[in-house]
Amino acid sequence: MKMRVICYSKKKKMEGFCAAIAEAQGCRWDKLPLAYPCDKERLTIFCGSVPHEDLRRMVAEMTKERTANVAFLIDGPESVAKEYIEAAKKAGTNVIDNVMYVKCGKIPFLGKVSDEEAAAAKKWAEDVIAAMK
């Protein structure tokens, strides 16, 4: 399946979540700004620490031509994450309702994804993919 995992966070732990999901699904993960644009992806998973304007802008540009489905793994409050979800819906893509919320801490360079956290993120991604079919 054509899939991308996109990270926008300065937190090493969030990058660990992205790498775990991408490795399990056999796809690439990239940081914003992207090395190359999304084009006809079947699923794009956004992993980000919110709030952040660059991430909001990127999510708002996710049209059906760029990606058919969008899922979110969020480090931040649910109330703020809803703004990103609504922005993706307004852009016209299908937003997966199953949002994963994580806590990455306040110190960006500390934090490693534990085996249990990585397993939970991989399971969540599998559930997202299964829900699309």
Side-chain angles (χ1 to χ4, degrees), residues 59-60 62 70 72 83-93 95:
V59 168
M62 287 293 112
V70 171
F72 291 93
E83 296 173 28
Y84 293 80
I85 293 166
E86 288 305 314
K89 286 180 180 178
K90 285 181 185 176
T93 190
V95 177

Side-chain angles (χ1 to χ4, degrees), residues 48-126:
S49 297
V50 297
H52 200 282
E53 191 56 37
D54 289 343
L55 181 60
R56 183 188 328 269
R57 193 174 309 115
M58 178 70 179
V59 168
E61 294 173 358
M62 287 293 112
T63 62
K64 284 276 188 190
E65 292 76 33
R66 296 182 88 184
T67 187
N69 300 283
V70 171
F72 291 93
L73 188 149
I74 300 290
D75 169 33
E78 189 173 335
S79 59
V80 176
K82 287 181 182 180
E83 296 173 28
Y84 293 80
I85 293 166
E86 288 305 314
K89 286 180 180 178
K90 285 181 185 176
T93 190
N94 179 49
V95 177
I96 306 298
D97 291 331
N98 185 357
V99 178
M100 183 173 183
Y101 293 94
V102 297
K103 295 192 187 288
C104 292
K106 298 206 183 261
I107 302 174
F109 55 86
L110 291 180
K112 182 179 179 208
V113 176
S114 70
D115 292 341
E116 294 83 21
E117 290 171 322
K122 290 174 188 178
K123 171 78 170 92
W124 169 79
E126 290 170 8

